[in-house]
Structures are given as C-alpha cells and as structure tokens.
Amino acid sequence: MSIGVIATLKVQVDKTDEFEGIFTELAKQVRANEPGNLAYQLTKSRTEPGTYKVLESYKDQDALTHHGGTDYFKAAGPKLGGVLAGRPEIEYLDGVG
Amino acid sequence: MSIGVIATLKVQVDKTDEFEGIFTELAKQVRANEPGNLAYQLTKSRTEPGTYKVLESYKDQDALTHHGGTDYFKAAGPKLGGVLAGRPEIEYLDGVG
C-alpha cells in the first residue's frame, strides 16, 4: 500500500531563502536516488508567512523507511534545525488506489 | 511555478467504498490525460474515519485550470456530492524549486 505524507515546516521568517536552498538540494537527492518515492513537492503557504508543506508519496512503507535512513536525509536535519521556528509536524496517510 | 493542492474530503462513513470507487476512477483519468499533473494521490486519514486527503501537484496554473475544466472532473462532482458529508476544503500552495 502506498503512503502519503504532509510535512508542515515553520521557518524563521528571515531565513526562508536559506531554508529553500537546503530543502531544494534535499529534494534533488530524493528524486535522483529513491525509485520508491513517487512525489516530493515543497510548497509554501499563500496565507501564513514562513509556513511550508512538503507533499510526499511513497510506493510502500519500505520506501518511506528507506527515505528516512538515507545519508542525505539525516545530514539535512541539523542544517534545517538552524532555520526552523519549531518542530516539524508530520502527518502520515494511507494511500488508496 | 508549480502548484500544490491538498483537498480534504469528508465522506459519509457508510459510503466510503462507493467514494473510493468514484475517486479511483477519477484519478485514473487524471493520470491518463493530464501531462501537466505531476501527482494525484488519494489518501485516507489514520485517525479520522471518513476523512480523505488528495495530494496534488501541477506543473503550473494552466495545468490546474485545465484539470478543473475536464469533462471527467466536472462529471465527478455530482457523483461525489452523494457520498460526501460536507463541502470539500481545498488548500492551494505555491510550489518551490
């Protein structure tokens, strides 16, 4: 069964450029290296400044577990820690169809 | 600029099978006919029975406008109306990267 993820990230409002640079690089690595990742789209809110949502889709739980264990994902954590305004909020959803 | 959409749909709890059938058919049409659609993943909440979220991504505004104007999308509206428990809540997000 496929799995969807909505990751909501609140970024310090004076660090959005830095955040977008870090995250764009991460997304590039995900797309290049994870055949089990079906979508990984960074978006930003139109109404809440500094709020970003990542729309993610994975073929199955194994693909999601693999994503979280990659070197580049683990390396992004500390970098993002310096620009986020709080803990990420992650919603996991069961894919249908 | 790409565009992300999170569509939250609340379905009558005794009509989820019917809903999933209607929506799976719609998603098949979207994937077959819309090169400007980058992702169209139906998911369901793990915590709220009857709550579904569609994770969508489009190449640009034109692709999203085209999606909303297709015959199969317009035909799905009345069918979904019979199984939803309220109005859909649609969040539009600006793609980054």
Side-chain angles (χ1 to χ4, degrees), chain B:
Chain B
M1 186 185 62
S2 67
I3 296 180
V5 178
I6 301 171
T8 303
L9 307 175
K10 302 206 183 224
V11 177
Q12 297 169 43
V13 288
D14 59 340
K15 293 190 174 164
T16 55
D17 285 353
E18 189 181 344
F19 167 77
E20 292 185 11
I22 295 165
F23 209 93
T24 300
E25 180 57 33
L26 171 61
K28 195 187 299 182
Q29 298 261 32
V30 170
R31 294 200 188 99
N33 293 296
E34 296 179 33
N37 173 272
L38 308 176
Y40 202 78
Q41 177 64 59
L42 177 64
T43 69
K44 65 178 167 186
S45 170
R46 292 182 175 182
T47 55
E48 294 174 66
T51 294
Y52 291 79
K53 296 191 184 192
V54 192
L55 311 186
E56 308 176 35
S57 176
Y58 297 87
K59 190 164 62 83
D60 53 26
Q61 178 60 49
D62 282 354
L64 174 56
T65 302
H66 173 73
H67 167 71
T70 60
D71 288 343
Y72 49 83
F73 183 81
K74 289 190 280 192
K79 291 185 228 172
L80 292 171
V83 299
L84 294 181
R87 292 178 71 84
E89 178 190 308
I90 315 286
E91 181 177 11
Y92 297 98
L93 300 139
D94 290 330
V96 178

